[in-house]
Amino acid sequence: MGEGSESSRSGGFCGWFIVLLVLGVIAAAIVVTIKVKKNHHSAPELGPVPGPPGPVVQKYGHALTLAMQFFEVQQSGKLVDNTIAWRGDSALQDGSEAQLDLSKGMFDAGDHMKFGFPMAFTATVLSWAILEYGDRMQTVNQLNPAQDSLKWITDYLINAHPSPDVLYIQVGDPDIDHKCWDRPEDMTEARPLTQVNTSSPGSDVAAETAAAMAAASLVFKSRNSTYSSLLLEHAQELFTFADGNRGLYSESIPEVQPYYNSTGYGDDLLWAASWLYLATGNQSYFNYVTGKNGVAFANWGNPTWFTWDNKLAGTQVLLSRVSFFGGKGSSNSGNLQNYRKTAEAVMCGLLPKSPTATSSRTDSGLIWISEWDSMQFPVASALLAVIYSDYMLTSRTASFSCNGDTFGPSDLRNFAISQADYVLGNNPMKRSYLVGYGDQYPQYVHHRGASIPANATTGCKNGFTWLNSTKPNPNVAVGGLVGGPFLNETYIDSRNNSMQAEPTTYNSALIVSLLSGLVTTSAVVQSFT
């Protein structure tokens, strides 16, 4: 009986063990399946069909209103309806040596230079935002200010292009300019002009200026058709000049290399041709970007960062719009799909849970590439992500794949939100990098006009007293996006720390555009015309 009883218990134990083992395997399989589904985002939620703007996200609405004001802070020339109490008329004689009125435009950063390359990029990005998100801007009454700021730049760009093969690309000498610390209203230093032409070509700066004018022509098409046509005429002339006289402006004019050195012009030519295609519907521009020039310059399959120097990622996202929504003569183009596939690769690099996610981030998740002007990269990346997300939502495209893992529009928007929120204070230092936003924002911004009291009398040299002052700036450079944190997420709030503490006009275009995409529910128009 002892043996029989033992063997029966043993058999029962084995049976139960097998049952439990099978159940364990099934449970493990269920867990793995759930994890795989979770990782693969196998059925991303598209949400409702995008429509008119929904309720305003208050923090983004407030931040957008502030960020837009930095364009006024940076305005040169005879000011109209000026709302910045410490700013006044400045640089009224700019361009006079060539009998041109180059008094408008915007100062580049904390200095008084007008650098045409980043200024044109500012206009292109701002135009893009107005075209995609103008109705969103309008929910917080920022559409008219955006259009006014854009026109302040394009008025300058028109005057800087006095003949088909001549473009003035700089006002001021940076070596002279940077030896002074004075208010723009009081400056007396020389303001020489620099140009590109057929003997000193600048395909990069000429093409970026063409892109700015083509994009802006779409913005003003319904508002001011005569002005829109003038912009388009200049854009086409400049593109012809840029393409027909190929060369880097920083090789033609080596003096610009320490400031805005261009590393290539192929990206600018594709960027300009893409905008001209959207502005004109002319098949030749589409053929340009999808034909041999696309093969030569587009770098398909290789994600890059979107900056004032490299427009490839922006071009890839912009041409994805044509792929998502269609365009005149655009069907069945394999190379158009190459742009979209590369745009997807850019997106895959940005998403933190993607198998191909970039490791170039801070511990808190901010995209981080360079200690100089570190904020340009995360904000530009987030802008492309929110635009691409909205292309997907509006076209009812549920997902895309990153090496087998599936992601949807909400993943891209959440990434964009994470970068925007970091800028606004959701970071280890609890500091806002947008001047004027929140309780903790930089007080010692590297900006001449902000650092000198409006009633002070200073010359070129004695103004350095204000640069070296230990007191916070007497004027707030409201809406400026400063350079940003180091990789270890620290920030030194010092006026002499231009690496971190200097705001730029082109960064303002990027943060204004990003906030415009986030200020209400998502959607874009399917056609700019």
Side-chain angles (χ1 to χ4, degrees):
M1 181 175 162
E3 279 185 15
S5 165
E6 187 68 25
S7 88
S8 133
R9 280 202 303 270
S10 170
F13 175 77
C14 285
W16 280 111
F17 179 77
I18 290 166
V19 169
L20 288 170
L21 190 64
V22 170
L23 287 172
V25 169
I26 291 169
I30 289 169
V31 168
V32 168
T33 303
I34 289 169
K35 279 189 174 177
V36 167
K37 283 195 173 182
K38 190 176 179 184
N39 287 341
H40 280 238
H41 295 62
S42 58
E45 290 291 325
L46 262 177
V49 176
V56 170
V57 181
Q58 292 301 326
K59 64 178 176 181
Y60 299 139
H62 177 48
L64 175 58
T65 302
L66 289 172
M68 200 74 78
Q69 290 180 60
F70 192 66
F71 292 128
E72 283 194 81
V73 169
Q74 296 303 93
Q75 280 189 349
S76 166
K78 187 162 187 61
L79 303 186
V80 180
D81 299 327
N82 174 36
T83 65
I84 307 298
W86 48 274
R87 281 303 324 278
D89 298 345
S90 64
L92 297 179
Q93 298 305 309
D94 278 5
S96 56
E97 72 177 60
Q99 289 76 55
L100 298 172
D101 179 6
L102 299 181
S103 61
K104 282 189 175 182
M106 293 187 184
F107 301 121
D108 177 63
D111 55 13
H112 301 149
M113 289 299 300
K114 293 177 189 173
F115 290 113
F117 196 30
M119 198 198 305
F121 175 71
T122 299
T124 314
V125 171
L126 186 55
S127 296
W128 195 5
I130 293 168
L131 291 167
E132 302 284 13
Y133 298 123
D135 57 344
R136 271 71 188 144
M137 291 178 174
Q138 188 55 41
T139 62
V140 286
N141 300 313
Q142 293 306 302
L143 178 57
N144 284 339
Q147 291 171 327
D148 291 345
S149 293
L150 174 61
K151 190 171 184 292
W152 202 265
I153 298 176
T154 53
D155 284 353
Y156 166 88
L157 295 177
I158 287 169
N159 289 353
H161 182 227
S163 60
D165 295 344
V166 173
L167 176 67
Y168 286 90
I169 54 94
Q170 186 171 291
V171 180
D173 179 321
D175 291 336
I176 295 172
D177 185 85
H178 291 177
K179 286 173 183 169
C180 294
W181 193 268
D182 50 2
R183 299 176 69 244
E185 294 79 3
D186 301 330
M187 62 179 168
T188 56
E189 55 266 25
R191 305 274 292 166
L193 306 178
T194 306
Q195 65 170 256
V196 292
N197 49 49
T198 51
S199 55
S200 294
S203 299
D204 32 27
V205 64
E208 177 58 77
T209 308
M213 290 173 151
S217 77
L218 285 163
V219 171
F220 294 110
K221 195 165 188 175
S222 59
R223 193 182 189 203
N224 186 336
S225 60
T226 303
Y227 188 68
S228 172
S229 297
L230 178 63
L231 285 167
L232 195 53
E233 182 183 328
H234 279 279
Q236 290 172 309
E237 282 187 353
L238 275 168
F239 181 76
T240 300
F241 164 56
D243 191 39
N245 301 272
R246 291 190 177 185
L248 286 168
Y249 94 117
S250 42
E251 288 182 357
S252 297
I253 310 160
E255 295 80 9
V256 306
Q257 290 177 12
Y259 302 98
Y260 289 99
N261 182 48
S262 175
T263 56
Y265 58 74
D267 59 306
D268 302 287
L269 290 170
L270 295 177
W271 178 237
S274 301
W275 278 111
L276 279 162
Y277 169 64
L278 290 167
T280 65
N282 188 319
Q283 188 68 24
S284 66
Y285 294 118
F286 183 80
N287 294 341
Y288 187 98
V289 296
T290 56
K292 64 179 183 181
N293 293 291
V295 173
F297 300 130
N299 202 18
W300 291 313
N302 297 301
T304 49
W305 301 106
F306 183 45
T307 69
W308 58 261
D309 180 41
N310 191 338
K311 320 300 166 23
L312 283 181
T315 303
Q316 287 146 5
V317 170
L318 183 63
L319 289 174
S320 295
R321 156 179 270 284
V322 181
S323 171
F324 278 116
F325 304 132
K328 185 179 176 184
S330 67
S331 59
N332 301 320
S333 168
N335 284 343
L336 180 63
Q337 294 311 307
N338 284 334
Y339 282 105
R340 180 165 161 182
K341 286 174 188 171
T342 311
E344 283 188 2
V346 171
M347 299 304 131
C348 290
L350 299 177
L351 293 175
K353 293 183 179 177
S354 160
T356 56
T358 179
S359 59
S360 301
R361 302 173 202 264
T362 67
D363 288 346
S364 297
L366 181 77
I367 294 288
W368 198 95
I369 309 300
S370 164
E371 61 184 9
W372 275 98
D373 191 15
S374 63
M375 272 300 177
Q376 179 185 188
F377 297 91
V379 175
S381 299
L383 171 60
L384 294 188
V386 82
I387 290 174
Y388 199 84
S389 165
D390 286 347
Y391 289 169
M392 293 182 69
L393 279 170
T394 304
S395 65
R396 312 311 289 159
T397 304
S399 65
F400 62 97
S401 176
C402 301
N403 278 19
D405 281 10
T406 305
F407 298 91
S410 61
D411 297 300
L412 291 172
R413 192 172 182 85
N414 288 338
F415 163 75
I417 287 169
S418 74
Q419 305 301 288
D421 286 355
Y422 190 108
V423 170
L424 299 180
N426 185 15
N427 55 62
M429 295 192 76
K430 304 302 178 192
R431 176 189 295 280
S432 161
Y433 291 100
L434 185 71
V435 179
Y437 183 89
D439 299 325
Q440 298 289 327
Y441 58 82
Q443 302 294 310
Y444 296 83
V445 177
H446 182 92
H447 190 280
R448 287 182 213 169
S451 72
I452 303 173
N455 60 359
T457 303
T458 59
C460 165
K461 297 294 185 186
N462 62 354
F464 280 101
T465 304
W466 299 102
L467 170 65
N468 299 316
S469 166
T470 57
K471 294 180 180 177
N473 286 353
N475 309 312
V476 179
V478 63
L481 177 65
V482 295
F486 288 135
L487 180 57
N488 66 3
E489 306 194 79
T490 61
Y491 177 87
I492 300 163
D493 192 11
S494 166
R495 207 175 287 113
N496 273 297
N497 179 17
S498 56
M499 181 184 287
Q500 290 187 287
E502 187 169 21
T504 61
T505 306
Y506 52 91
N507 273 5
S508 287
L510 293 167
I511 190 66
V512 158
S513 302
L514 172 59
L515 292 167
S516 297
L518 296 177
V519 72
T520 76
T521 47
S522 293
V524 291
V525 294
Q526 296 206 17
S527 173
F528 289 155
T529 54

